Amino acid sequence: ALAVVAAVLAMKFYMSSIELFTVLIFPLLALSTGCLGTFFTGLARGNPAQAGRISLAGASVLGVLAAVTIVRFVSNSYYIERGIPTRFGLGFNREIVPAEAMEVINRPDFPANFIHLPADGGYLETHLTKGRMAFIDARQALHAGAYADLVDALVGADKEKSEAANKRMFGNWQPGAAVINTTLPYAQDALGRLLASGMLKPAYFDGTTAILVVPTRENIPLLTDKAVQEKGLAILEETKNRYRKALGGLPAPLSARLLGAANAFVVMNRPQEAQAVLAALRAGNPTLYSGRLNLAMVQRALKDNEGALTTLNEAMALEPTDAKPHLIRADVLKAMGRDKDAEDAAAEAKRLAPKKENVPS
């Protein structure tokens, strides 16, 4: 009964009940393990010697599984193989929040109204200077229409709906800046759309956080502050060097800042810098899927179309049901003059798109 309730909550109210789901599903896991023990004990009933051997074998298997599981998490292998920027242990990973960027955001000349992705709302609210407020957080029900408008404007898949939401966003809220956490899902699409709009210009970037500012007279000091720009890039370079030095011993956890930097450099049209970051990430995880996609786009930008096709083939082998590699492949093939192959790749992307959530770039 608990498992059924947990499943319903997970499917219907995922965002608001994930913690409760975890609590409810635990008894089912414990009972399942107990049932297996009872089952095997029943098989050996009437033969104490056999029961003893089965119990010993079962305990040994569980012991080995537990040991392997613990090692996989403690060594960070589980996270690295799945491309997750998480590390084992206690503490707070500052790379996944705009920690260093707060010095810029809290400047007196930083625009009072600025937009950001919902996941950063709580952190920003607690770190903004007194009297300033964050724009939004992840409580969808509370923010209702504003939440939907922001998501549609920055990452919506429907072009017309997205353009309408974008007009409302800049017309109603009149933001003077955008703070984009590049480590978050779909941040690459959000950053790409804001840059493509031409309404904002980059003012700061440290790998985790990209700050874009509307180029008004009041914002010129922020846009032209070389010290601010150099500080962000220095933080990124230090992270890259530290990550490289950590390789070669125990598995080094993936860096959220480097993953975010790779996402951002691609859409900022800075392929050489993206290539350097991707090389570091690939040294730590040769099968990183997001790294394959970004590398293919970098190779496309550098006109290495054959290399891009090879990289995309590797990506498709890692994630056969994802449409994104086929979309990129269609673009590469079109650039090579292979129009028929490009049409086939686009058709394959369209066929796969319903099977997995894809946000078009």
Side-chain angles (χ1 to χ4, degrees):
L2 289 173
V4 170
V5 171
V8 171
L9 288 174
M11 290 186 289
K12 295 290 186 181
F13 312 103
Y14 180 80
M15 290 297 293
S16 59
S17 62
I18 185 63
E19 295 89 354
L20 187 57
F21 166 78
T22 306
V23 172
L24 291 175
I25 206 70
F26 181 77
L28 176 69
L29 299 176
L31 288 169
S32 298
T33 305
C35 286
L36 287 173
T38 303
F39 172 73
F40 285 116
T41 301
L43 288 180
R45 187 169 293 159
N47 188 337
Q50 187 179 1
R53 287 193 295 272
I54 289 177
S55 297
L56 179 61
S60 300
V61 170
L62 286 175
V64 170
L65 289 175
V68 170
T69 301
I70 291 171
V71 169
R72 294 269 291 157
F73 282 97
V74 171
S75 68
N76 298 308
S77 299
Y78 175 85
Y79 306 115
I80 294 169
E81 289 177 9
R82 282 156 182 78
I84 304 171
T86 300
R87 65 193 68 191
F88 179 80
L90 302 175
F92 173 52
N93 184 359
R94 288 168 57 89
E95 286 192 1
I96 64 171
V97 292
E100 282 75 11
M102 291 309 302
E103 185 177 336
V104 180
I105 298 169
N106 280 325
R107 281 174 51 143
D109 60 347
F110 194 81
N113 293 340
F114 68 94
I115 57 173
H116 57 84
L117 297 181
D120 278 338
Y123 184 86
L124 289 167
E125 187 67 34
T126 56
H127 289 79
L128 285 168
T129 52
K130 189 175 181 180
R132 299 189 66 198
M133 297 177 65
F135 174 66
I136 203 166
D137 57 39
R139 292 174 292 177
Q140 297 182 40
L142 175 65
H143 298 293
Y147 190 103
D149 258 5
L150 180 69
V151 173
D152 283 340
L154 297 184
V155 298
D158 187 298
K159 187 176 180 181
E160 290 185 7
K161 191 176 180 181
S162 176
E163 289 176 352
N166 196 287
K167 287 180 181 177
R168 287 194 299 272
M169 181 174 69
F170 282 93
N172 298 338
W173 306 331
Q174 298 182 345
V179 176
I180 302 299
N181 187 331
T182 59
T183 71
L184 297 172
Y186 305 146
Q188 190 175 38
D189 300 277
L191 181 60
R193 289 192 181 190
L194 288 172
L195 288 170
S197 73
M199 291 185 287
L200 300 101
K201 303 293 181 185
Y204 172 88
F205 180 61
D206 63 17
T208 295
T209 310
I211 296 178
L212 310 179
V213 178
V214 177
T216 60
R217 185 174 61 184
E218 295 80 9
N219 292 335
I220 292 298
L222 184 57
L223 281 168
T224 57
D225 193 331
K226 296 292 184 184
V228 166
Q229 297 169 14
E230 290 170 2
K231 184 175 181 179
L233 293 175
I235 293 169
L236 173 58
E237 189 64 23
E238 180 188 354
T239 303
K240 185 171 66 176
N241 293 335
R242 188 169 62 246
Y243 180 73
R244 282 189 176 278
K245 287 179 183 177
L247 299 175
L250 290 174
L254 285 171
S255 166
R257 191 181 304 280
L258 294 185
L259 287 168
N263 290 336
F265 279 143
V266 167
V267 296
M268 293 168 79
N269 197 26
R270 294 161 68 171
Q272 283 84 5
E273 290 156 296
Q275 205 167 35
V277 172
L278 288 167
L281 287 170
R282 188 162 186 168
N285 182 355
T287 61
L288 182 64
Y289 178 64
S290 65
R292 288 286 198 282
L293 295 183
N294 281 327
L295 178 58
M297 288 187 279
V298 166
Q299 290 168 322
R300 168 73 184 91
L302 296 174
K303 301 193 185 305
D304 179 13
N305 292 324
E306 292 293 345
L309 289 179
T310 299
T311 303
L312 289 168
N313 287 336
E314 294 170 355
M316 287 184 279
L318 290 170
E319 289 284 348
T321 62
D322 192 0
K324 216 162 191 178
H326 297 275
L327 288 171
I328 302 170
R329 188 167 183 269
D331 182 58
V332 173
L333 290 167
K334 189 172 182 179
M336 297 172 72
R338 295 168 56 179
D339 292 346
K340 179 61 172 64
D341 291 336
E343 289 175 8
D344 292 342
E348 181 64 10
K350 188 175 181 180
R351 184 184 72 82
L352 289 171
K355 296 187 177 180
K356 191 171 183 178
E357 290 185 7
N358 292 283
V359 177
S361 297

